[in-house]
Amino acid sequence: MKKILFVCLGNICRSPTADGVLRKLVADSGLEKRMLIDSAGTGDWHIGRAPDSRTIKAAARRGYDLSVLRARLVTQDDFDEFDYILAMDKSNLAHLQKMKPAHFAGHLGLFMDFAPHMGYSEVPDPYHGDEDDFERVLDLVEEAAQHLLKKIV
Ligand code: 4NP
């Protein structure tokens, strides 16, 4: 069983998208029993809320249902639970590196490192952007999720 946690700032746009996209890839590959997937945020503004409506709509157009997800904060316990903790940008990663306990033996890094050919080291924050920014999140996340799955399985 591999456990993967995606982390962004608000846990309402990028990391829930990664969560939903990888969940569907895993389900379509019949690997549900071998992978546990979750997402969390480094900021606390949206705790308990569903993903941003623009995120839900953009994902739904590509066949992903994010409506059941609820935002939560990343916690110290996550370092005991998860094997892969993947940050959407360098600011999230810096936050996680400060939290990381010395005994954490898993992989902490940037999600886009799994798809370097895309030319993005970070998934840009779409929160103050337009529809194209939300589409770009999906483009990047779909590609990185596929390569992550290939690498892990
Ligand atoms: P996310 O996007 O980190 O991809 O969920 C954001 C959502 C909300 C805020 C920032 C980024 N915010 O400042 O409220």
Side-chain angles (χ1 to χ4, degrees), residues 2-8 15 36 38-42 72 74-89 92-97 99-101 104-114 148 152:
K2 289 276 187 256
K3 299 180 181 179
I4 298 147
L5 180 68
F6 294 109
V7 178
C8 63
S15 62
L36 187 147
D38 198 4
S39 70
T42 58
R72 73 169 179 87
V74 65
T75 69
Q76 208 66 42
D77 289 346
D78 287 324
F79 288 90
D80 293 321
E81 177 72 10
F82 292 93
D83 305 297
Y84 288 79
I85 299 182
L86 301 175
M88 294 294 141
D89 64 37
N92 314 144
L93 181 60
H95 184 109
L96 293 164
Q97 275 163 343
M99 287 178 76
K100 185 178 83 155
F104 178 64
H107 175 100
L108 172 62
L110 288 170
F111 182 38
M112 286 312 297
D113 281 353
F114 289 88
L148 170 67
I152 287 180

Side-chain angles (χ1 to χ4, degrees), residues 8-16 45-46 125-128:
C8 63
L9 179 58
N11 193 209
I12 56 168
C13 298
R14 293 165 293 173
S15 62
W45 312 285
H46 306 284
D125 182 353
Y127 191 62
H128 296 290

